């Protein structure tokens, strides 16, 4: 089976790529296809994240295991596209280059039969130019945390002042 996937940059402008890729490839191959289709070298750290219908991030699937303390991390080269991206769960979040946080929405658009004589992955459509810098993210603070109160009560925080 062949997946037709739309990858959309998280930006105000419309910037996206439509690709076709075999359903039985690893997420590492999808990562390479996305990086290439947007003009990245593919040399930076990256992760996919499973998500719900509202794009709420869930489980990480990393390019490399950077876990500490024996925590297990799913890896792209061990995870297959057809096991993660399905018609029941058609969305993923993809983050490329953790210093710049290029963030993309990945969505399964269609599942079709493989065409003889066509090479996969295949870039179907490219719309918009990638900006020189990633779009700014506006992170919202947790309204339940009162930072002013925390700093006013610094003496109550039980820190050893001579830690250095």
């Amino acid at each position: 089976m062949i997946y037709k996937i739309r990858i959309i940059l998280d930006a105000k402008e419309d910037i996206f790529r439509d690709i076709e890729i075999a359903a039985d490839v690893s997420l590492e191959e999808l990562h390479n296809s996305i990086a290439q289709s947007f003009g990245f070298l593919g040399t930076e750290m990256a992760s996919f994240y499973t998500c719900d219908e509202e794009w709420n991030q869930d489980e990480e699937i990393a390019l490399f295991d950077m876990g500490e303390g024996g925590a297990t991390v799913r890896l792209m080269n061990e995870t297959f596209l057809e096991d993660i991206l399905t018609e029941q769960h058609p969305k993923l979040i993809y983050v490329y280059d953790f210093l710049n946080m290029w963030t993309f929405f990945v969505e399964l658009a269609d599942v079709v039969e493989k065409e003889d004589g066509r090479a996969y992955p295949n870039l179907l459509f490219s719309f918009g130019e990638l900006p020189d810098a990633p779009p700014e993210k506006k992170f919202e603070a947790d309204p339940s945390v009162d930072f002013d109160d925390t700093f006013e009560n610094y003496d109550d925080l039980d820190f050893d002042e001579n830690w250095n």
Side-chain angles (χ1 to χ4, degrees):
M1 300 307 299
I2 300 299
Y3 280 2
K4 290 185 176 186
I5 299 173
R6 175 160 284 177
I7 304 101
I8 305 167
L9 177 64
D10 183 14
K12 289 180 184 177
E13 309 83 30
D14 288 336
I15 302 168
F16 64 89
R17 305 292 183 263
D18 292 342
I19 63 170
E20 291 179 313
I21 191 167
D24 62 354
V25 301
S26 71
L27 285 183
E28 185 173 18
E29 186 163 339
L30 178 59
H31 151 74
N32 291 332
S33 298
I34 293 171
Q36 185 178 24
S37 72
F38 279 94
F40 294 122
L41 296 175
T43 57
E44 301 295 335
M45 288 296 300
S47 286
F48 285 99
Y49 297 89
T50 59
C51 61
D52 62 17
E53 283 295 315
E54 286 79 42
W55 300 101
N56 294 309
Q57 183 176 310
D58 191 22
E59 180 186 11
E60 179 180 18
I61 305 166
L63 183 58
F64 299 108
D65 185 359
M66 300 297 284
E68 296 179 12
T72 59
V73 175
R74 281 179 93 170
L75 299 176
M76 288 184 201
N77 67 344
E78 299 171 350
T79 306
F80 295 94
L81 184 57
E82 63 193 350
D83 296 332
I84 297 297
L85 198 63
T86 65
E87 291 182 47
Q88 293 76 29
H89 301 314
K91 297 179 178 182
L92 291 172
I93 297 170
Y94 173 69
V95 178
Y96 178 79
D97 185 357
F98 291 121
L99 294 177
N100 290 303
M101 296 296 288
W102 291 96
T103 304
F104 299 87
F105 300 110
V106 177
E107 188 165 13
L108 178 62
D110 200 7
V111 180
V112 297
E113 294 293 325
K114 183 176 183 177
E115 291 183 33
D116 290 335
R118 180 170 287 194
Y120 299 99
N122 178 35
L123 178 63
L124 291 171
F125 188 71
S126 176
F127 185 87
E129 293 293 322
L130 196 68
D132 292 334
E136 280 192 41
K137 305 285 185 275
K138 293 187 176 164
F139 297 102
E140 295 179 20
D142 184 349
S144 66
V145 176
D146 183 2
F147 290 103
D148 293 331
D149 181 51
T150 302
F151 292 119
E152 287 175 7
N153 296 319
Y154 180 78
D155 294 333
D156 298 338
L157 291 176
D158 194 30
F159 287 117
D160 182 2
E161 291 182 19
N162 298 316
W163 64 275
N164 196 1

